[in-house]
Amino acid sequence: NHGVTVQEIGLAQAAEIAVVREELEALSCRLAARLATPADIADLRRIIVRDSSSVASGDLDELITSEFGFHERLLQMTQNQTLIRLLAGLRDAILRFRRAAILLPDRPEEVVSEHAQVVDAMEAGDAATAEALLREHIRRSNARLQESVRSDKQGSHTGGG
């Protein structure tokens, strides 16, 4: 039951965290894109290759770890210690959301594609597009997760879940 971990937090608090996460991670991406070196881009591409391998092999635990690494690498690239501390304070809750969201049907493949699009924009020097793509990536995960939680709740009310 993939909705359980989010419900432990409480749906209202989960919605609040989702809004804050979206803003902080979008900011993180924009700052990282502005500072990205060729070595940073290469690091991100290696993470995406690892993500693809995890999806292909069905190793979702590895994908979750790697996906977390992608966002952490973006955050480190910002060199902004305040932003790093703020997101660190939300890390446990964010990891619960990521784990639950990535287990949804078709989401692993979407994650890999969305990360690749972000890195493509960063490599092109387009921080605004990279930020918009990352924001959409997080919104899509949150929306898919909310749908899942709603369907789980409906299933439990009808005895089917």
Side-chain angles (χ1 to χ4, degrees), residues 5 12 19 48 69 118:
T5 54
V19 168
I48 293 168
V118 168

Side-chain angles (χ1 to χ4, degrees), residues 27-106:
L27 172 61
S28 172
C29 185
R30 184 175 73 239
L31 295 174
R34 289 179 182 163
L35 298 171
T37 66
D40 293 327
I41 297 297
D43 285 348
L44 293 171
R45 294 250 184 242
R46 278 191 287 277
I47 292 169
I48 293 168
V49 168
R50 197 167 52 234
D51 287 351
S52 294
S53 296
S54 299
V55 170
S57 68
D59 188 347
L60 294 183
D61 286 333
E62 176 57 32
L63 178 60
I64 291 163
T65 300
S66 184
E67 201 269 349
F68 176 74
F70 179 86
H71 289 268
E72 282 294 298
R73 184 69 182 101
L74 286 177
L75 184 58
Q76 293 305 316
M77 287 166 59
T78 71
Q79 304 173 24
N80 184 312
Q81 296 307 308
T82 300
L83 183 57
I84 291 167
R85 278 192 304 276
L86 287 169
L87 277 165
L90 295 173
R91 185 169 288 132
D92 289 345
I94 290 171
L95 280 172
R96 282 186 230 155
F97 295 142
R98 281 194 181 126
R99 174 169 283 284
I102 216 157
L103 297 175
L104 298 174
D106 301 322

Side-chain angles (χ1 to χ4, degrees), residues 7-20:
Q7 291 171 345
E8 289 171 4
I9 294 173
L11 294 178
Q13 185 180 7
E16 289 175 2
I17 291 168
V19 168
V20 172

